[in-house]
């Protein structure tokens, strides 16, 4: 069957509308619980959330769903997505749940599911769970109904784990670091982890009220952290998103360091120590051509996948890679976790900063990005990309950029939008190519 609920990163939507209601959350709990009832042991699910107002509603609904089919529930409260993945494995749980819509505004929410190995569910598991959502599932006998409990040391466990991702001799003494937690899931753990390693921490985006997650702060809204870094004379700034699985860095001059630059740094640092596996780094089709050229010059490869960290992770596991990510800041380091972890990535960057003795602006800008332009074309219906006129313009653009640039055109997976991206050494040519394709798409959709 096709996907009605699960997208590329779990289930997501506006709360109390469409797929993101308490009723559906309860059904997802019942279906996921039923799917993972395997063996005769007492089954367990770990549930974490970010700081959205709707998290309370969806958390309670999922507790009802899981306990009704006989699963015990361990509640973590507000915790980063990678913490849920970690504690799912540590607590020997059968399934893990993160209630979050990542970098989306507070009105949205979502459900991400992890298997007992701490990895996001496979397509097969998601489809199996989706197929159960319309069924009347068997409920547990009264004596077998699950219990729910909250563990109070979840934050400490996660902080200990992320600090363990850097060598014991690394201290951050003398560094002034701005940490922007987007008023989200890492508002307690990320500043604490950095402070415990010795840094002076200036924390922003750490006053969640249920409605201010990602609001003019965090990795998708960098004005706040840039202003704070420059005004405070900080050495570096690290910005997380609402569920803390992505990272964007700001150097001491207020300049942005995106996921491509971070992959270049972490990948080459590991390579120099003989610790990089797979012969390179895995990224998506959206990563800049400058990253690819830089890695090639170091004798490393850039493997590209479709957009979405799940596709990056799949390729990493298939090819034996241990570093991958997205330009948007998802950073996956399989030596330290099973999913993207902005805090772990930040500590790798801070460790490199300490070891280099350089300023952030000198260390973190390893290559000049090739001019890149992305435009979105909204359409009302049909399949404009299949129109002969559009295909002709795309073919002409590919010939024009051959050997000097790249073209990526894809429909959005969540809305009626065509995304048109081109990059090349000539910024004017890139703009001309993108505009020509956008005009063709608009004409075909009219």
């Amino acid at each position: 069957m096709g996907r009605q609920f699960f997208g590329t990163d779990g289930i997501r939507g506006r709360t109390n509308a469409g797929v993101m209601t308490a009723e559906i959350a309860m059904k997802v709990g019942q279906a996921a619980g039923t799917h993972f009832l395997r063996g005769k042991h007492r089954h367990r699910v770990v549930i974490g959330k970010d700081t959205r107002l709707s998290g309370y509603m969806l958390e309670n609904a999922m507790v009802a769903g899981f306990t009704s089919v006989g699963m015990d529930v361990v509640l973590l409260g507000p915790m980063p997505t990678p913490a849920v993945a970690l504690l799912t494995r540590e607590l020997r749980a059968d399934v893990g749940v993160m209630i979050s819509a990542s970098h989306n505004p507070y009105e949205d929410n979502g459900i991400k599911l992890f298997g007992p190995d701490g990895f996001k569910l496979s397509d097969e598991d998601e489809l199996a769970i989706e197929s159960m959502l319309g069924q009347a599932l068997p409920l547990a006998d009264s004596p077998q109904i699950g219990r729910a409990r909250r563990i109070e040391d979840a934050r400490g466990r996660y902080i200990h784990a992320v600090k363990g991702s850097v060598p014991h001799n690394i201290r951050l003494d003398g560094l002034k670091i701005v940490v922007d937690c987007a008023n989200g899931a890492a508002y307690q753990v990320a500043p604490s982890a950095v402070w415990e390693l010795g840094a002076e921490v200036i924390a922003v985006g750490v006053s969640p009220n249920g409605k201010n997650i990602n609001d003019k702060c965090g990795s998708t809204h960098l004005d706040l952290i840039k202003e704070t870094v420059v005004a405070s004379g900080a050495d570096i700034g690290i910005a997380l998103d609402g569920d803390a699985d992505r990272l964007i860095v700001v150097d001491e001059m207020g300049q942005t360091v995106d996921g491509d630059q971070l992959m270049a740094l972490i990948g080459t640092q590991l390579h120099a120590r003989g610790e990089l596996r797979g012969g390179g780094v895995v990224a998506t089709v959206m990563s800049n051509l400058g990253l690819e050229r830089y890695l090639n010059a170091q004798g490393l490869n850039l493997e590209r996948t479709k957009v979405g960290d799940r596709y990056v992770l799949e390729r990493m596991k298939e090819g034996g890679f241990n570093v991958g990510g997205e330009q948007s800041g998802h950073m996956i380091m399989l030596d330290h976790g099973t999913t993207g972890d902005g805090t772990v990535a930040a500590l790798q960057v801070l460790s490199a900063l300490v070891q280099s003795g350089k300023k952030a602006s000198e260390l973190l800008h390893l290559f000049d990005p090739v001019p890149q332009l992305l435009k979105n074309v909204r359409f009302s219906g049909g399949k404009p990309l299949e129109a002969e006129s559009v295909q002709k313009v795309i073919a002409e653009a590919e010939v024009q950029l051959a050997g000097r640039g790249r073209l990526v055109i894809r429909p959005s997976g969540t809305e009626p939008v065509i995304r048109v991206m081109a990059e090349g050494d000539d910024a004017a040519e890139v703009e001309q190519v993108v505009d020509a394709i956008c005009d063709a798409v608009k004409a075909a959709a009219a």
Side-chain angles (χ1 to χ4, degrees):
M1 61 176 288
R3 288 173 176 265
Q4 180 184 354
F5 295 92
F6 284 92
T8 57
D9 195 17
I11 303 171
R12 189 179 299 186
R14 188 177 178 89
T15 47
N16 275 352
V19 300
M20 199 45 56
T21 65
E23 179 184 12
I24 290 177
M26 185 180 73
K27 289 180 178 177
V28 172
Q30 290 177 325
T34 300
H35 181 67
F36 282 98
L37 286 174
R38 303 168 180 176
K40 296 182 179 180
H41 63 279
R42 189 67 188 172
H43 291 78
R44 176 182 294 167
V45 56
V46 170
I47 301 179
K49 62 181 180 179
D50 64 22
T51 56
R52 292 165 209 271
L53 179 65
S54 57
Y56 296 98
M57 175 185 78
L58 297 174
E59 179 186 58
N60 287 327
M62 297 202 77
V63 169
F66 280 111
T67 54
S68 72
V69 297
M71 268 205 170
D72 291 337
V73 179
V74 177
L75 296 169
L76 306 180
M79 288 288 283
T81 290
V84 174
L86 169 74
L87 291 170
T88 297
R89 289 196 304 178
E90 277 205 359
L91 295 173
R92 307 301 189 265
D94 300 277
V95 60
V97 178
M98 179 63 182
I99 301 171
S100 174
S102 189
H103 58 281
N104 287 27
Y106 87 91
E107 295 93 343
D108 293 347
N109 216 327
I111 298 170
K112 302 178 186 181
L113 298 175
F114 295 90
D117 58 0
F119 287 99
K120 291 179 181 178
L121 297 192
S122 65
D123 288 339
E124 292 75 19
D125 281 325
E126 287 187 347
L127 287 172
I129 291 169
E130 180 149 325
S131 70
M132 298 183 199
L133 296 181
Q135 302 176 19
L137 299 174
L139 303 180
D141 290 337
S142 296
Q144 301 304 316
I145 290 173
R147 299 174 180 269
R149 60 174 292 186
R150 190 173 300 274
I151 60 171
E152 302 301 331
D153 63 343
R155 291 196 297 271
R157 293 187 188 204
Y158 177 65
I159 291 170
H160 178 74
V162 298
K163 285 165 54 185
S165 69
V166 297
H168 290 295
N169 65 325
I170 293 295
R171 297 184 59 89
L172 304 181
D173 300 77
L175 288 180
K176 182 187 291 187
I177 302 170
V178 179
V179 182
D180 183 350
C181 298
N183 291 315
Y187 78 100
Q188 294 173 312
V189 294
S192 295
V194 175
W195 174 81
E196 288 184 18
L197 289 172
E200 177 185 348
V201 175
I202 301 172
V204 297
V206 290
S207 302
N209 62 16
K211 296 183 178 181
N212 61 357
I213 187 171
N214 302 312
D215 184 16
K216 299 181 180 64
C217 58
S219 64
T220 52
H221 303 279
L222 296 173
D223 287 348
L224 173 63
I225 191 169
K226 288 182 176 183
E227 292 169 3
T228 307
V229 166
V230 173
S232 65
D235 297 288
I236 193 171
I238 59 177
L240 307 172
D241 67 335
D243 69 333
D245 64 353
R246 67 168 73 181
L247 166 73
I248 297 293
V249 171
V250 173
D251 69 20
E252 83 282 358
M253 300 173 66
Q255 300 176 111
T256 302
V257 182
D258 67 10
D260 285 347
Q261 297 283 0
L262 299 180
M263 283 186 279
L265 174 71
I266 294 172
T268 52
Q269 291 265 322
L270 289 180
H271 178 59
R273 299 200 298 265
E275 297 173 7
L276 185 69
R277 298 196 305 274
V281 170
V282 181
T284 76
V285 293
M286 300 305 290
S287 276
N288 195 274
L289 184 59
L291 171 62
E292 186 171 350
R293 291 173 175 175
Y294 175 79
L295 291 174
N296 290 165
Q298 312 301 313
L300 302 173
N301 296 320
L302 179 67
E303 295 263 343
R304 293 186 183 271
T305 72
K306 293 190 293 184
V307 173
D309 63 315
R310 70 178 296 157
Y311 302 114
V312 172
L313 180 58
E314 286 174 4
R315 180 66 192 116
M316 290 176 69
K317 292 167 72 176
E318 289 169 0
F321 295 86
N322 59 342
V323 176
E326 295 188 278
Q327 187 183 66
S328 60
H330 281 118
M331 294 297 300
I332 305 174
M333 286 157 287
L334 287 182
D335 293 339
H336 305 297
T338 56
T339 189
D341 193 326
T343 307
V344 165
L347 293 185
Q348 310 314 301
V349 172
L350 296 175
S351 176
L353 190 66
V354 169
Q355 292 174 313
S356 72
K358 298 179 179 179
K359 293 182 177 180
S361 58
E362 298 170 346
L363 175 70
L364 300 179
H365 301 278
L366 294 176
F367 63 89
D368 292 325
V370 169
Q372 186 181 78
L373 180 63
L374 170 67
K375 290 189 176 182
N376 296 325
V377 182
R378 188 171 294 275
F379 62 98
S380 57
K383 297 181 178 180
L385 281 183
E386 297 180 6
E388 185 177 341
S389 57
V390 175
Q391 291 294 316
K392 181 175 181 293
V393 174
I394 291 174
E396 291 171 349
E398 288 175 337
V399 171
Q400 184 176 347
L401 292 175
R404 296 182 295 110
R406 291 191 312 125
L407 186 64
V408 178
I409 302 167
R410 63 185 184 91
S412 167
T414 58
E415 54 185 335
V417 167
I418 303 296
R419 307 196 192 282
V420 181
M421 189 277 282
E423 61 182 357
D425 296 315
D426 187 330
E429 182 180 44
V430 166
E431 185 173 9
Q432 177 263 315
V433 163
V434 170
D435 286 344
I437 296 171
C438 289
D439 289 344
V441 171
K442 291 174 185 174

